[in-house]
Amino acid sequence: MTAQTPPGTPLWRQAFDAAEKRVTPHAEELVRTPYFATGVGLLRRAQNIAKDTARGVSARAWHLVNLPAGTDLARLRAQLGALDREVRRLTVQLENERRRPLTSDVPTTATSEEPDAHGAQPTGSPRPRPARRGAQRPPRS
Amino acid sequence: MERNALRARNGIKLVAGVDRPGVGLTPKDVVWERGRTQLWHYRSDKVKYSPPLLIVFSLISRSYILDLTPGNSFIEQLLDAGFDVYMVDWGEPDERDAQNRLEDYVDDYIPAAVDRVRELSGADEVNLFGYCFGGDLTLLYAAHHPDAPVRSLTVLATPVDFTKMGPMSDIFRNSGLEVDDVVDEDGNVPPRVVVQGFKTLTPTADVTRYVTLWERLWSDEYVSAYQAMTGWSDDHIPFPGAAARETVQMLVRDNAMVTDRLSVGGDPVHLSDIRLPFLTVRADRDHIVPPEATEALIDLVGSEDKHELRLHAGHMGLVVGRTAAKTTVPEIIGFLRKRSDEVGED
């Protein structure tokens, strides 16, 4: 952006570069001021208040006729998402536990199951925790 | 006159979105997947080094920047150098990922990918490589799992001092804006917010970009590179809401990497616990992750064998284009070769 103009550059481009060179530092300075950050924050919150108000009104209208509103669906999606995450985490942790003996030279019973197969976490056992802090292996020479 | 005709032709192509250069074309196989996350193994018949290299990509952008176009691909160069390359790609998060926290990636997905790579390759360890925010994930992983089977850690354009990240972090630190104020209905921070955040860092860059495009619209080569590069910089993915909340609170507001207040899954984590051979690569002209934001990293990790490479390049220039091909990639390859064994060697 601030590189020297190479020879043969058209006049219009030289004019643009000169203008850009003057404007850019001011624009970059402006977006780094606390006023800009505050302005963006206020604008965003104002947008959200307007959106939430409109959503609240439409939700009440749908609830009047005993139908779910978009906000109810959003809540359901969030709950499903949380459940999906839990299942995914348990599956990955179970896989990690299954794979660990295979990759760490510890003899283990062979299994015909797919390593990627979805498994289930026994309900009674606690969730496996990550390996605890220990001595990090020294760098190889 | 001829240039005007070429401009008209290329302009139509751009507007119509036809003839886009193919990206991410290096042949690969999906060797593990869970949810939206996939582990890719790049095919190669010239593997000369072990252990394999596992790349962890950022949570907010598309991974094809590392495999942009044939002949201009970071991955391709690593394969040509004889490395066995794997990459964790987080896919495109949706409402099912809105509750994902940083610990999901650090304690579950990365360990699973490391284990799968070891299982497939037969190697005891991996060389780990983190790009941008993926570098932060690998730092947290290496610090939280000091006994992990990792031979070395390389991070590229990885921010640690989030007070130096410019307007994007200032907005969350100083204006009282919360992540919940910007999340979409699916519970994630939408890509348009991420793109807009990056654009704020260089407010006049878009105008300059279009002016340069107009000036060089006649050049097929320029237009092709423009489509690939700007295509990537405008093509972000949603940032999972819970991970974004954690990032803003812990990394941006508490500046926890620098102030040593990191925690993952409730456990305190210290970057000084990282004792692996370590390389950090920074770019002087990086507008996305300013060099000041990466500067402290070399002093924060506890490794004795640690190196910093500072290049005169931009964020994308670290992995694509001439600087990458001539400097970044050969330096990274040199670092990794010294921490690898030739295949067949004991």
Side-chain angles (χ1 to χ4, degrees), chain B residues 27-39:
Chain B
K28 57 184 177 286
D29 300 298
V30 177
V31 291
W32 179 81
E33 62 185 313
R34 184 64 60 226
R36 267 55 58 208
T37 303
Q38 292 189 331
L39 175 66

Side-chain angles (χ1 to χ4, degrees), chain B residues 212-224:
Chain B
T212 308
L213 174 65
W214 171 251
E215 191 187 359
R216 303 188 61 186
L217 193 56
W218 54 271
S219 161
D220 290 346
E221 198 187 339
Y222 181 82
V223 170
S224 183

Side-chain angles (χ1 to χ4, degrees), chain B residues 174-345:
Chain B
N174 303 329
S175 74
L177 191 75
E178 296 295 335
V179 171
D180 287 329
D181 293 327
V182 295
V183 292
D184 234 342
E185 280 166 15
D186 65 359
N188 298 316
V189 178
R192 65 173 185 282
V193 170
V194 178
V195 172
Q196 206 50 55
F198 286 132
K199 286 190 173 177
T200 311
L201 304 174
T202 50
T204 57
D206 263 1
V207 181
T208 309
R209 193 171 89 178
Y210 287 123
V211 169
T212 308
L213 174 65
W214 171 251
E215 191 187 359
R216 303 188 61 186
L217 193 56
W218 54 271
S219 161
D220 290 346
E221 198 187 339
Y222 181 82
V223 170
S224 183
Y226 174 91
Q227 280 180 306
M229 304 272 272
T230 58
W232 179 79
S233 62
D234 288 344
D235 185 17
H236 282 68
I237 54 174
F239 192 1
R245 270 178 220 109
E246 221 178 342
T247 301
V248 164
Q249 188 53 52
M250 181 170 74
L251 301 184
V252 175
R253 290 186 181 143
D254 297 345
N255 202 20
M257 291 243 177
V258 173
T259 56
D260 197 23
R261 289 160 65 193
L262 289 170
S263 80
V264 175
D267 296 332
V269 165
H270 309 282
L271 294 184
S272 56
D273 286 340
I274 298 175
R275 309 250 178 229
L276 300 161
F278 180 77
L279 172 68
T280 170
V281 184
R282 313 162 51 203
D284 270 347
R285 292 189 295 122
D286 194 332
H287 283 98
I288 293 175
V289 181
E292 303 80 43
T294 55
E295 198 173 7
L297 178 54
I298 190 79
D299 295 322
L300 294 172
V301 297
S303 314
E304 281 177 25
D305 178 12
K306 58 183 175 183
H307 307 267
E308 182 186 68
L309 175 63
R310 191 170 179 165
L311 297 170
H312 192 61
H315 193 74
M316 283 194 267
L318 280 179
V319 286
V320 292
R322 269 177 241 137
T323 308
K326 284 187 185 163
T327 319
T328 327
V329 187
E331 289 276 358
I332 292 170
I333 287 171
F335 174 83
L336 291 172
R337 268 191 189 138
K338 284 184 194 159
R339 277 101 194 149
S340 302
D341 309 314
E342 285 207 38
V343 171
E345 235 181 37

